[in-house]
Amino acid sequence: MNHYLIVGTDTKVGKTHVICALLKDLQSRGCSALGIKPVECGSRADARTLRESASSQMSLEQLNPVYLRAGADPCMAAELERRSLAADVLKNAYSAVASSAEVVLVEAAGGWLVPYAPGITQADAAEVLHIPVILVVGNRPGAVNHTLLTVQDIKRRGLECKGIILNHLSDDWDSASLTNRKLIEDFTGLPILAELIYGQDELDSSILD
């Protein structure tokens, strides 16, 4: 079974879009697959999209067990509801569905170091989950810096980063979007598993093998 944590260098880099593209291809190959988003804030739009794309008929609550109404970082959103998130929140959500599909893609909430609770970040929760990581990078100015910092911390925590998916967030091709790929490959030593142009909704799932 190939199960991965899909994280981003920041929010709005296309994690849900990438997961849905992978789910579409996996299912076309006859592979059972699902995407989950253990923690979501503000709305359940991403979790609903993942549910629609999954081959499993799981409930929204199974795919998104922690929903916080405020559109803020999980730490503050939970505080507003007088709730708290523990470092095992990702692991618990994953463990509940891990045997239900050949491939489970766990979508992180926002960027790598998003606060979950006082003294606890999403990266701490990823350590407890301890499955391989795939990093989604929005191809825009600043992407190289964000990528290097994220990869550095992933490796420091002893987690495996399988590789990077570079996602173009607009039709514009500026100097950064043309040079980011080479710099990221050179400085991280990690493979670019795929590069999605703006609007592309197909992705070869063999990159997960």
Side-chain angles (χ1 to χ4, degrees), residues 90-200:
L90 297 184
K91 182 179 180 179
N92 290 342
Y94 164 76
S95 297
V97 303
S99 62
S100 301
E102 296 171 83
V103 177
V104 177
L105 303 176
V106 182
E107 181 179 347
W112 177 245
L113 286 171
V114 162
Y116 268 17
I120 298 174
T121 69
Q122 183 162 247
D124 298 318
E127 276 193 83
V128 177
L129 175 61
H130 206 81
I131 60 176
V133 173
I134 292 176
L135 181 61
V136 178
V137 176
N139 194 10
R140 58 191 177 195
V144 175
N145 176 68
H146 295 328
T147 304
L148 297 184
L149 289 171
T150 303
V151 169
Q152 183 181 60
D153 194 66
I154 291 171
K155 291 180 176 180
R156 182 183 68 80
R157 293 171 183 269
L159 297 172
E160 175 193 353
C161 186
K162 180 175 178 63
I164 292 164
I165 295 177
L166 196 59
N167 185 33
H168 290 258
L169 303 175
S170 75
D171 282 324
D172 296 332
W173 288 76
D174 54 23
S175 296
S177 66
L178 293 171
T179 59
N180 282 341
R181 176 171 185 152
K182 181 176 184 345
L183 287 171
I184 288 171
E185 286 181 312
D186 288 349
F187 279 83
T188 65
L190 293 172
I192 301 294
L193 301 173
E195 183 172 354
L196 278 70
I197 63 173
Y198 182 69
Q200 179 181 342

Side-chain angles (χ1 to χ4, degrees), residues 6 14-29 105 134 136 164-167 192-197 200-208:
I6 311 298
K15 298 186 301 296
T16 305
H17 180 73
V18 164
I19 292 174
C20 289
L22 288 169
L23 292 176
K24 177 182 177 182
D25 191 63
L26 285 163
Q27 290 173 84
S28 73
R29 297 168 184 258
L105 303 176
I134 292 176
V136 178
I164 292 164
I165 295 177
L166 196 59
N167 185 33
I192 301 294
L193 301 173
E195 183 172 354
L196 278 70
I197 63 173
Q200 179 181 342
D201 62 359
E202 295 184 354
L203 190 53
D204 186 349
S205 61
S206 66
I207 64 173
L208 302 177

